[in-house]
Amino acid sequence: MTRRHIAPSAVVWLLLGAAYFFIPLLATFLFSLRQLQTGHCCTVASYTWVIHNGQFWHSLKLSVELALETIVVSLILFVPTVYWVHLKVPRLRAVLAFMALVPFVVPPIVLVVGLLNLYKGTPTWFYGQPWGFLVAAYVMLAFPYMFFSLDSGFRAIDVHTLTEASQSLGASWPRTLLTVILPNIRAAALAGSFLALAIVLGEFTIANLSQFHTFPIYLQYVNETQAYAAGAATLVSFGITWLAMLSLLFVGRKRGQRAAFLAGAR
Amino acid sequence: MAFLELQSLERDFGTVKALDGIEINLNQGEFLSLLGPSGCGKTTALRIVAGFDRPDGGRVVVDGKDVTRVSPNKRDMGMVFQAYSLFPNMTAAQNVEFGLKIRRQDRGGRHKRVEELLELVGLGHAGGRYPHQLSGGMQQRVALARALAIEPRVLLLDEPLSALDAKVRVQLREEIRRIQLELGITTLYVTHDQEEALSVSDHVAVMYRGRIEQMGAPAEMYSAPATPFVAEFIGTMNRLEGTVVDPGTGTVETGGKTITVEAARSKPRGARVLVLVRPETVDVTAANGAGANTFTGEVLTHTFLGPVTRLRISSDDASLIADMPTARAAALPPGSKVDAALPASEARLLDLSDEPLPEIAEEPDPAGP
């Protein structure tokens, strides 16, 4: 393969982008190495504290669980919906696209107040539990990302022909969706899932107002009480988020690709 | 009784009648082509047989059973699509295997069958490849194998060759016919390419505006078109509008000239007719004074078609197309004065209604509704 020529201006922009991304991380890292008593460098005490802190792990686990639940619920709800819209009622696509803009337009603070009122009076197992109420809210927040990812995925394949080919070979609707359509929009579903994961792991307003102790809430609490430790917690969670993304990517791959991925990683 | 019957099928798309009373009876093992320009309803008819569309009236009967309301996945019809339709996430072999898996065939039987079918379409070596690693022609071969794997009662082909190169197209259509004959499978083939339809079919049905204009054996369609549309659509025709002046002698007046057409003997005096003459029956010679049935004019263009050359001839009374052996055509270059004689016995006549003659695009758009 021939080496592609990279324009100098591209390199400059790339470096600028990298700086924009890495400088805050680096600053946080340096900050997190300071000693609690003196404020001087360098100690890993904050990291030890974070790693041995039960609440850190507890809240992080809760957030990851909520993220996974949000992803599963979103996929179950939206994959068949978007499929059906593309196949049978393409006119509704515009309506869905409009609805997908609502979570952007309505600020989370307004959304949560509305949701708290709307769901008031629902059973406690839903209203009082993060995997009930919070996930319901997060599915709405994730909707635009899921929708636009899936929508572009469905546009990239010939939904009609694939469906008809599958049907003419005797496949039912569920079978067509699972064995023919889903594997071919895998990348799109994965992209939507990443975004949902990122959103849920970082969501503060709704969790705070509905008083659930998710990871961002905990982080905020630590930040107010122990600034250096908060830096360490941020970086650890950042690393864990990246790991979560990578494993999602891994799970989303096909068996053969998975082996190749492992071989390449070695 | 026929194996596949389409009984007075009707389908409306809004105000457009896509199908207007289609009647087809096809015996087991026969190959019928639905031929027509885009928008003539041929694809709609095929989709109704496949079950992807429901007719507004009429029935589809297979082997004596009404399947009009049966969903497509219960019909046992193999279909090959115009667009590449292989499942991109599966290899060629897995694509062929798909229908067998759904029918819960055991693994050993499945693999054997997949191998047989890939062999049948000449792709025994390519089973492990993914669709994007196959050429267009190979993909359509796999699609054919996939459709045949389920041992369908009827094979449906929706312009399966229209996306392919000319050479692959000819090769593959012959192979489709070979396989069809070998398996003896009842086949419905949709195409806008008359050459394709004539070369592979037992029967051809020419469709226009949701109706079947004429149905018959390919040779019959070519030599004895029943309507002006069929005459125009199948092969090339010289069409001369005229009036019968003397049925006794078969004299027809056209464009201020009288010619003799034997078929005119059966027509009433004064009947408006269309005289149809195949270009290969027009006899062109260097101008030497008009004889009977002869138009004198000038050669406008030559179109080289291999063994024959097509001449466009313009005379005062008509413009004609004539095919002649390439070697002879060289003596009559564009600009030369020629006599073009119409054969009195081989010209055909159609009654001309008051309806205007249909316009036919040179290259019909394959993407019909």
Side-chain angles (χ1 to χ4, degrees), chain B residues 244-252 260-270:
Chain B
V244 177
V245 237
D246 183 359
T249 54
T251 310
V252 174
T260 311
V261 179
E262 277 172 22
R265 289 176 195 272
S266 57
K267 304 284 178 192
R269 188 184 303 270

Side-chain angles (χ1 to χ4, degrees), chain B residues 105-341:
Chain B
Q105 261 195 29
D106 66 286
R107 181 183 278 262
R110 275 188 339 234
H111 287 182
K112 194 161 156 280
R113 181 106 181 101
V114 168
E115 230 165 84
E116 276 171 20
L117 280 158
L118 285 175
E119 210 60 60
L120 182 70
V121 298
L123 286 176
H125 59 286
R129 291 201 220 159
Y130 282 92
H132 66 92
Q133 297 167 320
L134 299 170
S135 70
M138 288 163 101
Q139 287 191 41
Q140 289 303 64
R141 279 166 195 265
V142 176
L144 180 64
R146 182 177 69 175
L148 291 170
I150 60 171
E151 294 180 46
R153 296 193 290 175
V154 180
L155 179 63
L156 305 172
L157 301 127
D158 183 11
E159 310 218 15
L161 309 177
S162 59
L164 306 176
D165 296 342
K167 201 169 175 184
V168 181
R169 206 149 61 202
V170 172
Q171 199 184 352
L172 199 47
R173 80 181 185 214
E174 279 161 13
E175 220 155 318
I176 288 174
R177 176 58 162 167
R178 169 183 69 79
I179 290 167
Q180 186 267 334
L181 286 173
E182 199 175 314
L183 303 180
I185 187 168
T186 314
T187 302
L188 205 53
Y189 188 101
V190 160
T191 181
H192 64 266
D193 183 334
Q194 44 108 357
E195 190 190 318
E196 212 168 278
L198 294 181
S199 61
V200 297
S201 317
D202 294 314
H203 307 283
V204 175
V206 172
M207 289 182 66
Y208 181 62
R209 288 185 182 162
R211 292 168 177 276
I212 291 179
E213 290 268 313
Q214 187 182 358
M215 181 149 68
E220 185 187 328
M221 303 294 283
Y222 186 81
S223 59
T227 70
F229 180 81
V230 175
E232 178 69 11
F233 199 76
I234 294 200
T236 307
M237 273 289 188
N238 288 297
R239 308 196 303 181
L240 304 168
E241 286 182 48
T243 313
V244 177
V245 237
D246 183 359
T249 54
T251 310
V252 174
E253 191 226 306
T254 170
K257 203 171 165 63
T258 56
I259 54 173
T260 311
V261 179
E262 277 172 22
R265 289 176 195 272
S266 57
K267 304 284 178 192
R269 188 184 303 270
R272 299 230 307 125
V273 292
L274 191 64
V275 182
L276 301 170
V277 184
R278 288 280 177 206
E280 63 267 25
T281 63
V282 178
D283 187 27
V284 184
T285 49
N288 58 358
N293 269 12
T294 301
F295 291 80
T296 303
E298 185 185 335
V299 177
L300 288 181
T301 59
H302 273 203
T303 309
F304 177 64
L305 300 173
V308 297
T309 293
R310 177 160 294 172
L311 273 56
R312 265 177 205 285
I313 298 160
S314 164
S315 80
D316 294 338
D317 311 307
S319 68
L320 294 168
I321 296 168
D323 287 351
M324 58 193 300
T326 296
R328 274 184 52 211
L332 304 169
S336 38
K337 294 271 173 218
V338 291
D339 287 340

Side-chain angles (χ1 to χ4, degrees), chain A residues 9-40:
Chain A
S9 62
V11 176
V12 171
W13 285 114
L14 203 67
L15 287 177
L16 275 176
Y20 184 78
F21 183 70
F22 280 111
I23 286 175
L25 280 180
L26 190 67
T28 310
F29 178 63
L30 291 176
F31 187 69
S32 71
L33 290 179
R34 295 193 185 185
Q35 258 163 353
L36 188 58
Q37 289 80 8
T38 61
H40 292 308

Side-chain angles (χ1 to χ4, degrees), chain A residues 88 157-158 160-176 178-184 186 254 256, chain B residues 47 52 72-74 76-79 81 83-90 95 98-104 130 146-147 150:
Chain A
K88 298 280 180 182
I157 61 173
D158 187 342
H160 287 268
T161 308
L162 289 182
T163 303
E164 288 178 357
S166 166
Q167 285 201 302
S168 78
L169 293 167
S172 59
W173 284 110
R175 181 127 192 184
T176 300
L178 286 178
T179 59
V180 173
I181 300 300
L182 204 54
N184 290 305
R186 191 191 295 265
K254 280 187 278 179
Chain B
R47 293 178 57 81
F52 300 135
N73 59 337
K74 302 263 189 287
D76 269 333
M77 303 223 178
M79 177 130 176
F81 297 83
Y84 298 136
S85 64
L86 294 185
F87 307 133
N89 56 313
M90 302 182 199
N95 265 283
F98 185 81
L100 301 174
K101 264 189 173 167
I102 284 166
R103 281 163 179 73
R104 297 176 192 282
Y130 282 92
R146 182 177 69 175
I150 60 171

